[in-house]
Amino acid sequence: MKALLVIGVIGAALFSTQASAVTYYGTCPTCTPPMTSVSWHTAAANVAAYYGATTADDIAMCRDGGGGTLTAAVAQYLVINAPVSGPGDVQWNYTQGYVDATCADLGFE
């Protein structure tokens, strides 16, 4: 049975108000915590740039944990400057952890 574990909720209210924003999804197999690290920001910026995300669009990044109780982590980012040219153009909002789920289970490819 899949269960949701909330790791951080900073900016969750901001993310939930972006109802009209487009969300782009990507994976970051090599990223390591914290979700505010350079590798996560770079991966989010790369996805945003690839899809041509605009200001206020959302980026969802996933990484499989490979064991333990937390098996997938999804970090939500917000595009704060477009066109996206680097990690400084995206801002981390919050992270959710999923128990007994993989990124593929959550719809990430």
Side-chain angles (χ1 to χ4, degrees):
M1 182 167 154
K2 297 174 186 140
L4 171 67
L5 171 68
V6 175
I7 296 175
V9 293
I10 297 174
L14 176 64
F15 178 74
S16 64
T17 62
Q18 300 293 331
S20 62
V22 176
T23 301
Y24 298 101
Y25 300 89
T27 61
C28 192
T30 60
C31 288
T32 57
M35 282 61 175
T36 55
S37 71
V38 172
S39 58
W40 281 87
H41 267 90
T42 299
N46 289 343
V47 167
Y50 178 81
Y51 287 107
T54 62
T55 302
D57 282 350
D58 299 305
I59 310 298
M61 299 300 301
C62 188
R63 179 182 187 271
D64 288 324
T69 57
L70 176 65
T71 55
V74 176
Q76 295 283 353
Y77 293 85
L78 176 70
V79 175
I80 57 173
N81 187 41
V84 175
S85 62
D89 295 327
V90 297
Q91 171 185 306
W92 173 76
N93 282 328
Y94 72 96
T95 302
Q96 291 179 337
Y98 295 84
V99 177
D100 295 330
T102 65
C103 292
D105 293 334
L106 300 172
F108 291 85
E109 298 192 19

